[in-house]
Amino acid sequence: MRSVLVVGAGAMGSQIAMVCALAGHQVCLHDVDPAMLERADRELRDRMARQVEKGRRTADDVTAAFERLRVADSLAAAAAAADADLVIEAVVERIEVKSELFAELDRLCPPATILASNSSSFVPSRLAAATGRADRVCNLHFFNPALVMACVEVVPGPETSGQTVASCVDLVESLGKVPVVLEKEIPGFVANRILNAVRDEAIRLYEGGYAGVEAIDTACRTALGYPMGPFELMDLTGIDIGYLTKQARYAETGDPADLPSRSVTELVERGHLGRKTGRGWYTYEGV
Ligand SMILES: NC(=O)c1ccc[n+]([C@@H]2O[C@H](COP(=O)([O-])OP(=O)(O)OC[C@H]3O[C@@H](n4cnc5c(N)ncnc54)[C@H](O)[C@@H]3O)[C@@H](O)[C@H]2O)c1
């Protein structure tokens, strides 16, 4: 059993905290916004109640997990309460917010505490730079929804120690998940880079006039066994998400190859962001 502090109670942090509590760890969940903590508690209780109804978990296991999961609306209180072996940061994807938080965690947490980030794109060395413990900083990249998805990428920076990696692998295995350990850091890591490469090739084929959106999605589903095609997936996750990620990458690299594609930019400018707006690559009724 370990003590884990999860910072950020949004889509990812709330479920990561629950996964850890269900696995028997003591967890403290912190967010700057008390409303997010209330929402996380409400959503997790609803979700767990449904799992009990479906017979996937016992009511006793769920009650015990909630007893191990505390919330705190001040970081200092959270750090003190948790006295954590490990912090998993899951706050908004902005480097200045994360860097400031890592500096504060470095001040608040005992020297042995590992500081891990769930960032989808920032490499750990960027966050380690804000701390005096680069050997105990790495990325632990969970996938959405964290309660369901098995893979967790463990990404060491150049100064991350082997002991830190081993400890993170241990933790991931204790959660019943599958650790995928990178040899060295790269923005976006493994799974999302591959996903994005497929998406970019699909867009290239479409913009080159080689095949239509539906044809490309059908090929991916029926030839490659993908559960959904790249255009369907973009509509589901929100076309603006990939657009903003590319803009951020371009701001970092200055490489025109990292700019969002023409067709994606046009969709975003017209407000066609996918299912959530009723129109993206496809049109959806009743939104
Ligand atoms: N959503 C995904 O599919 C996904 C998947 C994998 C990884 N991630 C990564 O997880 C992280 C969180 O993403 P999310 O989708 O859960 O975001 P989200 O917007 O749902 O939640 C972010 C939370 O962080 C809180 N927050 C902001 N600044 C804070 C601070 N200084 N201290 C404490 N809390 C703070 C916000 O109040 C909010 O509740 C990001 O780094 C993202 O890249 C997201």
Side-chain angles (χ1 to χ4, degrees):
M1 191 270 286
R2 300 200 215 179
S3 173
V4 182
L5 167 59
V6 179
V7 184
M12 294 304 293
S14 57
Q15 292 206 10
I16 293 170
M18 193 74 230
V19 166
C20 292
L22 285 166
H25 301 297
Q26 289 293 339
V27 184
C28 188
L29 175 62
H30 161 70
D31 198 290
V32 277
D33 182 353
M36 289 304 286
L37 288 171
E38 278 168 34
R39 187 172 137 182
D41 185 63
R42 206 171 46 245
E43 287 183 359
L44 289 173
R45 284 183 194 276
D46 282 354
R47 190 177 278 262
M48 287 300 115
R50 284 199 301 276
Q51 296 217 343
V52 171
E53 268 169 33
K54 289 179 186 160
R56 294 198 184 134
R57 296 182 193 278
T58 68
D60 284 354
D61 284 353
V62 166
T63 305
F66 277 113
E67 275 166 14
R68 287 188 289 269
L69 175 57
R70 286 170 298 166
V71 297
D73 59 9
S74 110
L75 184 62
D83 194 17
D85 300 309
L86 172 75
V87 178
I88 303 175
E89 167 276 313
V91 307
V92 59
E93 188 75 345
R94 285 180 37 204
I95 192 69
E96 67 280 8
V97 176
K98 289 188 191 282
S99 294
E100 203 175 298
L101 180 63
F102 268 63
E104 211 175 335
L105 286 167
D106 191 36
R107 278 195 298 277
L108 290 170
C109 295
T113 305
I114 292 173
L115 305 182
S117 174
N118 182 51
S119 169
S120 295
S121 57
F122 301 127
V123 288
S125 57
R126 296 192 70 185
L127 301 171
T131 75
R133 59 176 85 190
D135 58 322
R136 271 152 293 145
V137 174
C138 74
N139 275 38
L140 269 182
H141 183 228
F142 290 74
F143 289 80
N144 193 6
L147 274 159
V148 176
M149 300 296 282
C151 181
V152 181
E153 290 173 329
V154 180
V155 188
E159 294 179 75
T160 308
S161 71
Q163 206 183 336
T164 297
V165 173
S167 188
C168 287
V169 166
D170 246 28
L171 186 275
V172 172
E173 285 174 347
S174 78
L175 306 178
K177 298 204 177 284
V178 181
V180 170
V181 183
L182 272 70
E183 301 297 326
K184 59 180 180 177
E185 64 180 25
I186 180 165
F189 324 129
V190 171
N192 284 343
R193 287 185 75 91
I194 292 173
L195 188 70
N196 293 345
V198 169
R199 178 199 60 197
D200 291 351
E201 184 58 26
I203 292 172
R204 259 193 299 277
L205 289 167
Y206 165 73
E207 289 188 352
Y210 297 103
V213 162
E214 276 189 59
I216 296 168
D217 277 347
T218 304
C220 288
R221 272 189 274 101
T222 58
L224 305 178
Y226 290 7
M228 62 174 75
F231 295 102
E232 291 164 322
L233 185 59
M234 277 186 270
D235 272 2
L236 184 70
T237 52
I239 294 173
D240 51 326
I241 305 293
Y243 173 82
L244 291 171
T245 309
K246 284 227 149 192
Q247 279 203 322
R249 185 72 52 83
Y250 174 68
E252 240 180 285
T253 64
D255 181 350
D258 287 332
L259 273 169
S261 66
R262 174 180 49 78
S263 52
V264 164
T265 304
E266 278 170 17
L267 286 171
V268 171
E269 282 173 356
R270 288 195 200 133
H272 298 328
L273 307 181
R275 279 175 186 267
K276 62 187 172 189
T277 60
R279 186 158 171 200
W281 294 104
Y282 296 90
T283 302
Y284 302 88
E285 300 298 328
V287 178

